Amino acid sequence: MAASLRLRGAASGLRYWSRRLQPPAASLAAVCSRSMASKTPVGFIGLGNMGNPMAKNLMKHGYPLIVYDVFPDACKEFQDAGEQVVSSPADVAEKADRIITMLPTSINAIEAYSGANGILKKVKKGSLLIDSSTIDPAVSKELAKEVEKMGAVFMDAPVSGGVGAARSGNLTFMVGGVEDEFAAAQELLGCMGSSVVYCGAVGTGQAAKICNNMLLAISMIGTAEAMNLGIRLGLDPKLLAKILNMSSGRCWSSDTYNPVPGVMDGVPSANNYQGGFGTTLMAKDLGLAQDSATSTKSPILLGSLAHQIYRMMCAKGYSKKDFSSVFQFLREEETF
């Protein structure tokens, strides 16, 4: 099993409960305000750009944390705040029966769960393991099988909203797993997000996330192309953005995360495309979409093209920049 997982993880890594209506935000807040008796330590593995603010929001809601990150420096501020830092995912599993993982790729998730010092080495029966990484749905399903063998529960719960929403606690969680366990997951996830949506069986959370990010990439490229064309035709970028945002072309990429420097404050384009959601991660997610499209024989013509564009950007020095830097890429590339 581990071998098959690693093969699936490598392939994707290289190309990088309740049927009821969702409760209102006030209900989510009530969930977070449960008595301190329910606030036993929560394990958190992966304290990067997204994991760090997510873990901090759990702290704000009174949850003691047991944390681990492959980079020790990422744990320092949590240690300084009095949280417990351990040396491996296995140690987290030994000390906590509710664990959240937030990792970059399928390979990282496989290592954290099934590796030599992984969660499954010391996981306790009845533990709830929530993976908020964006990974191959097939890997989520295989991890769930291994976790089930150990008498624990696995749920995939990838997020949407980016670093800003992670900081403000307004993430959207797309949750896949055993329906009877959704309320237990929601207790924690509702402290980090404003929307927690049950999608179905394990893997469906990942499926929803992959579809969302493919659409996001396509819309960002479209916004960047439209803005670039308008500017070259003599339009003021702020005026063009205003017109787009009161017209049928309006989208999240144009009105909330505009890729043109100077059009909006507080977005990566206003900070030389630093922070936000990295180009490498977008290329990775588009690779997952491409893999899923191939396995389901689904045509994704624009999704495939978006994948190629973001791979090209990674090869041309944009890998560490926010994915909205596609605008800058288009401005500088005139050979298409």
Side-chain angles (χ1 to χ4, degrees):
M1 202 302 290
S4 68
L5 271 179
R6 294 179 197 283
L7 286 173
R8 284 197 184 96
S12 59
L14 288 173
R15 288 176 306 270
Y16 210 97
W17 154 340
S18 142
R19 295 183 178 87
R20 301 185 298 270
L21 290 174
Q22 186 63 23
S27 176
L28 286 177
V31 170
C32 292
S33 300
R34 289 184 180 185
S35 67
M36 291 297 292
S38 71
K39 295 184 177 178
T40 55
V42 175
F44 207 107
I45 298 171
L47 300 169
N49 289 338
M50 294 293 291
N52 178 292
M54 289 169 66
K56 287 178 178 176
N57 279 323
L58 285 173
M59 290 169 59
K60 289 176 184 177
H61 283 86
Y63 287 94
L65 298 182
I66 299 167
V67 302
Y68 169 78
D69 192 279
V70 67
F71 298 107
D73 286 349
C75 300
K76 189 177 185 308
E77 62 179 315
F78 292 91
Q79 189 168 35
D80 292 344
E83 307 301 334
Q84 187 174 354
V85 176
V86 296
S87 58
S88 72
D91 292 339
V92 175
E94 186 176 35
K95 296 175 181 292
D97 58 14
R98 293 182 292 179
I99 301 171
I100 297 168
T101 52
M102 187 60 165
L103 304 160
T105 70
S106 295
I107 293 174
N108 300 128
I110 292 165
E111 184 64 23
Y113 282 87
S114 303
N117 293 300
I119 293 169
L120 295 180
K121 294 296 181 182
K122 295 184 179 180
V123 68
K124 294 174 281 190
K125 288 185 178 180
S127 292
L128 175 62
L129 312 179
I130 304 172
D131 182 35
S132 286
S133 317
T134 299
I135 61 173
D136 188 332
V139 173
S140 292
K141 292 174 183 178
E142 292 294 341
L143 288 175
K145 291 178 183 177
E146 292 302 299
V147 169
E148 185 178 6
K149 290 177 184 177
M150 304 301 292
V153 176
F154 177 93
M155 305 189 84
D156 61 303
V159 305
S160 178
V163 175
R167 289 173 180 156
S168 63
N170 287 317
L171 290 168
T172 293
F173 286 88
M174 294 153 272
V175 186
V178 178
E179 188 173 3
D180 290 346
E181 299 294 340
F182 179 64
Q186 190 181 55
E187 177 186 345
L188 297 177
L189 303 181
C191 298
M192 299 178 287
S194 55
S195 299
V196 184
V197 184
Y198 180 69
C199 298
V202 168
T204 56
Q206 298 293 352
K209 173 61 185 291
I210 290 169
C211 292
N212 178 78
N213 275 23
M214 183 179 73
L215 179 58
L216 174 59
I218 293 168
S219 67
M220 180 58 77
I221 294 169
T223 299
E225 289 185 347
M227 292 296 296
N228 184 41
L229 176 60
I231 291 167
R232 293 192 178 192
L233 288 172
L235 286 166
D236 175 80
K238 286 188 176 182
L239 175 63
L240 177 55
K242 180 180 179 180
I243 293 169
L244 293 176
N245 293 334
M246 62 174 65
S247 304
S248 55
R250 179 181 182 179
C251 64
W252 186 87
S253 295
S254 69
D255 71 359
T256 303
Y257 211 81
N258 199 284
V260 181
V263 169
M264 296 182 68
D265 295 325
V267 294
S269 63
N271 187 35
N272 195 30
Y273 300 104
Q274 299 305 303
F277 184 62
T279 295
T280 296
L281 291 176
M282 179 56 86
K284 181 264 294 186
D285 288 358
L286 289 166
L288 295 174
Q290 186 71 69
D291 291 345
S292 296
T294 299
S295 67
T296 59
K297 296 181 171 61
S298 303
I300 53 165
L301 307 184
L302 294 180
S304 294
L305 183 55
H307 185 208
Q308 295 305 313
I309 290 171
Y310 277 101
R311 288 180 65 192
M312 193 182 306
M313 288 174 64
C314 290
K316 289 182 174 287
Y318 290 82
S319 61
K320 294 183 179 179
K321 294 191 175 214
D322 179 74
F323 81 107
S324 63
S325 63
V326 66
F327 173 78
Q328 185 181 60
F329 173 70
L330 293 172
R331 294 282 285 180
E332 295 177 355
E333 294 290 330
E334 299 183 354
T335 58
F336 293 110

